[in-house]
Amino acid sequence: MKLKIAVLAGDGIGPEISVQGVNVMQAVCQKFGHEVTFTEALCGAAAIDAVGDPFPAETLKVCQDADAVLFSAIGDPRFDNNPSAKVRPEQGLLAMRKQLGLFANIRPVQTFDCLIAKSPLREDLVRGADFVCIRELTGGMYFGEKKEGDDYAYDTNAYSRPEVERILKVAFEYAMRRRRHLTVVDKANVLASSRLWRKVAQEMAPNYPEVTTDYMYVDNAAMRMIQDPRFFDVMVTENTFGDILTDEGSCISGSMGLLPSASTGESTPVFEPIHGSWPQAKGLNIANPLAQILSVAMLFEYFGLAEEGKLVRQAVDASLDANVRTPEIQVEGGEKYGTREVGEWIVNYINAQ
Ligand code: IPM
Ligand code: MG
């Protein structure tokens, strides 16, 4: 297979973990005889500094010409601490989502045995938790009409039927491939937009008779995720609720550094770690590259390259078993490996298979 990959490394630790993802992808492609090419493009604060735009037209073009985007992270404290900044790195992320039509954000929450002790939740509650949150990514309050005055401001949480239908379709189909349990998360007791979601979901559910569909208010879902995370298989929700719930989900497993995600839709899909740019760690070679590397596994799987994805996951598991780990997940007294060293170990493992 021929694969054209756009590489958007972005800010903070982005460039360091990006290199490791690219190296792993290259090693796997070489092993399986795929022809892969990488084209780098600017985004985030790096792009603001270079050309004054967090998602320049040139970057959009590179993404549109590619089969997939391997994205790392954007964000920079220079902008966070400046509420009057005219452009922000995050606008680049939103522009990318909108311009590539990435309406479905797939965020798996999985536990790793070696991390269970790091979870803030009790081990017996967390062990075996394995669910996927499907977050709508191009609608709702993020993109609805807004007004920002000195004394009055609002955001609107607007959704159209086609927007709801297409994301629910992704969710039902995901559930069919998993344990066939879908939880539709909304706030239908208060919000009109949520009532539309629930109505559309109830209309679609009979088309998927094998799927057990339940409906949960978002406040209750937030609680249930902590009380009983194993309850969930696939959950689907709107943009803002999904943003909040996926941060909550990411800490169930004990480290954000291990969770990848995929955003798919109308154009080129994007694969990225769910963690941010961790500016304090920039250049220190301490960031965990595994979420980026597992994003490469999701990329392969998206293209139906299951064996390739499996090899990446196997290599990641082997590195954890061999205690080749970055500081935040290393066991007490264990040697701490850098971003680069973990990546190199994984590449060597792949080459040796
Ligand atoms: C995420 C992030 C983004 C979001 C920010 C950086 C704009 O939190 O991907 O979850 O809110 O969607
Ligand atoms: Mg978020």
Side-chain angles (χ1 to χ4, degrees):
M1 188 170 187
K2 274 192 180 165
L3 284 165
K4 266 171 87 174
I5 306 298
V7 178
L8 272 56
D11 307 321
I13 57 168
E16 295 163 65
I17 58 168
S18 175
V19 174
Q20 304 313 322
V22 166
N23 289 348
V24 166
M25 182 149 187
Q26 191 126 45
V28 174
C29 285
Q30 200 164 352
K31 175 148 283 298
F32 285 85
H34 303 303
E35 200 179 299
V36 63
T37 53
F38 299 99
T39 310
E40 289 178 21
L42 286 170
C43 69
I48 297 177
D49 291 341
V51 297
D53 180 347
F55 192 65
E58 170 62 23
T59 299
L60 173 64
K61 171 114 186 33
V62 170
C63 294
Q64 283 169 334
D65 287 346
D67 298 308
V69 178
L70 192 61
F71 187 91
S72 297
I74 60 172
D76 189 300
R78 278 183 296 149
F79 299 90
D80 296 342
N81 302 330
N82 177 7
S84 57
K86 292 249 164 2
V87 278
R88 307 179 162 278
E90 288 76 9
Q91 288 165 346
L93 189 58
L94 299 187
M96 178 178 77
R97 289 172 181 172
K98 199 65 176 179
Q99 288 169 22
L100 294 177
L102 301 169
F103 64 83
N105 180 218
I106 294 146
R107 297 189 169 180
V109 174
Q110 233 188 315
T111 55
F112 293 81
D113 281 349
C114 65
L115 278 180
I116 295 258
K118 304 237 176 224
S119 173
L121 301 186
R122 267 196 353 245
E123 218 177 295
D124 58 308
L125 290 181
V126 175
R127 194 173 289 282
D130 173 14
F131 63 92
V132 180
C133 181
I134 297 185
R135 168 187 175 194
E136 201 290 327
L137 204 57
T138 52
M141 270 195 282
Y142 276 61
F143 295 97
E145 189 204 321
K146 33 185 113 238
K147 182 182 164 74
E148 196 161 355
D150 280 339
D151 303 310
Y152 182 64
Y154 62 78
D155 304 275
T156 42
N157 199 29
Y159 272 104
S160 68
R161 177 178 276 271
E163 280 177 311
V164 178
E165 275 171 356
R166 66 181 180 178
I167 187 76
L168 287 173
K169 183 166 182 283
V170 172
F172 277 114
E173 285 170 2
Y174 238 85
M176 287 293 288
R177 295 198 298 275
R178 290 180 46 103
R179 300 193 303 275
R180 300 182 176 186
H181 175 199
L182 177 65
T183 305
V184 180
V185 175
D186 63 29
K187 188 72 186 171
N189 50 347
V190 178
L191 302 178
S193 52
S194 280
R195 283 192 286 275
L196 176 66
W197 273 71
R198 195 171 280 216
K199 191 168 131 180
V200 174
Q202 281 168 346
E203 285 170 17
M204 288 172 74
N207 301 331
Y208 302 88
E210 301 94 335
V211 177
T212 306
T213 306
D214 44 42
Y215 301 87
M216 204 180 273
Y217 297 141
V218 62
D219 46 350
N220 187 22
M223 183 175 77
R224 194 79 190 253
M225 272 170 66
I226 298 298
Q227 270 185 338
D228 183 15
R230 281 180 299 230
F231 170 82
F232 296 102
D233 175 21
V234 178
M235 66 163 74
V236 61
T237 193
E238 56 131 283
N239 203 346
T240 308
F241 296 161
D243 177 45
I244 299 165
L245 291 180
T246 53
D247 259 32
E248 185 185 345
S250 74
C251 68
I252 292 175
S253 75
S255 168
M256 268 185 133
L258 265 76
L259 299 180
S261 76
S263 301
T264 65
E266 297 158 6
S267 174
T268 318
V270 175
F271 301 86
E272 60 175 307
I274 75 152
H275 60 68
S277 59
W278 198 15
Q280 302 81 357
K282 179 180 177 169
L284 300 181
N285 194 37
I286 57 171
N288 194 336
L290 294 185
Q292 179 83 77
I293 291 171
L294 288 167
S295 304
V296 171
M298 286 187 89
L299 189 162
F300 282 129
E301 287 154 3
Y302 176 89
F303 288 103
L305 303 173
E307 286 303 308
E308 289 80 342
K310 207 165 119 195
L311 179 56
V312 175
R313 292 182 190 279
Q314 186 187 321
V316 165
D317 287 341
S319 73
L320 291 169
D321 288 344
N323 278 331
V324 177
R325 304 179 188 184
T326 43
E328 92 288 3
I329 55 167
Q330 186 49 286
V331 290
E332 191 101 346
E335 188 185 339
K336 292 173 178 152
Y337 289 81
T339 314
R340 235 179 353 256
E341 288 70 28
V342 172
E344 281 165 8
W345 193 96
I346 289 175
V347 166
N348 288 337
Y349 178 95
I350 289 166
N351 289 338
Q353 297 311 298

